[in-house]
Amino acid sequence: SFKYSQCYSLSSYTWTYFEVGNEHALEARESLVRWAQMLPRQPPVHVFNTFELPGKPHLPADTDAGGSLMEYTLARYYAKYGYNAFYMRSGYAKGGYDYTTAFKENEVNHFEANHVGDGYHTVTRYGENEEDPNRKSSLGVLMRNWHPGPLAFQFVADTFSYLYAKAMLEALDRIEDEMNNGKDPLDTWSAKKRKIMLKTSLPEPKVCDPLYCTVDEAPGC
């Protein structure tokens, strides 16, 4: 409930069954971004997208090109509010493995259902010492179907952990610099001094219904 969200510092969004074949998926995400900015801590919204960045055809069988483009456009529109999207398959491609060659020359589609291995690993860290071969193979699945498998979820968890750890270290460096210069960090970053966001403070919505996403306060229950 947004009514009890005084302590939210970050909001993450993955995916729900309600999005299947539903053109309103982006409306829900945009609404969440706008509502979050009306909360005391103004938590940024980070989306986990299982597909690939638009215009970057590194991988076979990416069937969500249209949805990826809309996601990208929305993330750019609300970037100043911390909204961002992590494209899982692009992350894999940027690691250096040539998925296109593997698919075209060897007919290996790493992202088909129940494929074991992601081009870099064949099992999760958790499964490295697993003695049951079936269980070990299962822990090396990249995509169960349209849902990520253990190997993909490990990659996503590692990525977000690295991202947030890096951000926290940078924040600590900035706080230390302030203190070394004889300044009180609260004078710079106190949440009490944040601008209160009203519905008129946000840009015009791109896809969400203004009746629900351009409101006086975040909804509660």
Side-chain angles (χ1 to χ4, degrees), residues 178-194:
E178 290 282 287
M179 297 176 68
N180 289 338
N181 291 322
K183 299 179 181 179
D184 185 345
L186 288 176
D187 291 338
T188 304
W189 293 295
S190 175
K192 294 180 180 180
K193 295 184 179 181
R194 287 181 180 170

Side-chain angles (χ1 to χ4, degrees), residues 7-219:
C7 60
Y8 286 177
S9 295
L10 178 71
S11 180
S12 59
Y13 186 108
T14 52
W15 179 85
T16 74
Y17 280 104
F18 300 105
E19 293 189 12
V20 178
N22 189 335
E23 70 276 12
H24 300 305
L26 270 294
E27 293 184 21
R29 300 180 197 187
E30 184 176 26
S31 293
L32 180 59
V33 174
R34 298 172 69 87
W35 295 337
Q37 285 301 304
M38 305 182 83
L39 299 178
R41 292 179 180 268
Q42 298 173 335
V45 175
H46 292 170
V47 173
F48 164 39
N49 187 309
T50 60
F51 293 99
E52 189 177 10
L53 274 166
K56 307 290 183 182
H58 293 109
L59 311 176
D62 188 346
T63 58
D64 191 48
S68 290
L69 179 58
M70 288 191 297
E71 182 93 76
Y72 180 79
T73 301
L74 198 63
R76 292 293 298 271
Y77 190 63
Y78 288 101
K80 67 177 291 184
Y81 304 103
Y83 180 52
N84 206 348
F86 167 64
Y87 289 83
M88 184 189 77
R89 300 192 188 195
S90 289
Y92 273 115
K94 289 184 176 181
Y97 186 82
D98 190 346
Y99 292 96
T100 301
T101 298
F103 180 67
K104 291 182 177 179
E105 297 185 4
N106 303 318
E107 298 184 351
V108 175
N109 182 359
H110 290 77
F111 296 91
E112 66 183 0
N114 294 311
H115 180 86
V116 175
D118 59 7
Y120 307 99
H121 312 91
T122 57
V123 69
T124 60
R125 291 187 296 274
Y126 176 81
E128 287 178 354
N129 298 320
E130 177 61 55
E131 296 181 357
D132 183 335
N134 291 327
R135 172 66 173 159
K136 188 166 188 173
S137 177
S138 178
L139 290 171
V141 169
L142 183 59
M143 299 292 293
R144 290 292 187 200
N145 36 47
W146 57 91
H147 293 96
L151 204 55
F153 275 126
Q154 175 179 274
F155 172 63
V156 172
D158 286 349
T159 300
F160 277 111
S161 296
Y162 175 80
L163 175 68
Y164 298 141
K166 184 178 180 181
M168 285 188 285
L169 288 173
E170 182 174 338
L172 289 171
D173 285 340
R174 292 188 180 189
I175 291 173
E176 185 177 38
D177 287 342
E178 290 282 287
M179 297 176 68
N180 289 338
N181 291 322
K183 299 179 181 179
D184 185 345
L186 288 176
D187 291 338
T188 304
W189 293 295
S190 175
K192 294 180 180 180
K193 295 184 179 181
R194 287 181 180 170
K195 177 183 177 182
I196 297 175
M197 300 295 286
L198 305 173
K199 64 180 181 181
T200 54
S201 306
L202 296 166
E204 289 295 316
K206 291 186 72 68
V207 293
C208 63
D209 188 337
L211 178 65
Y212 302 107
C213 68
T214 303
V215 291
D216 293 318
E217 61 179 356

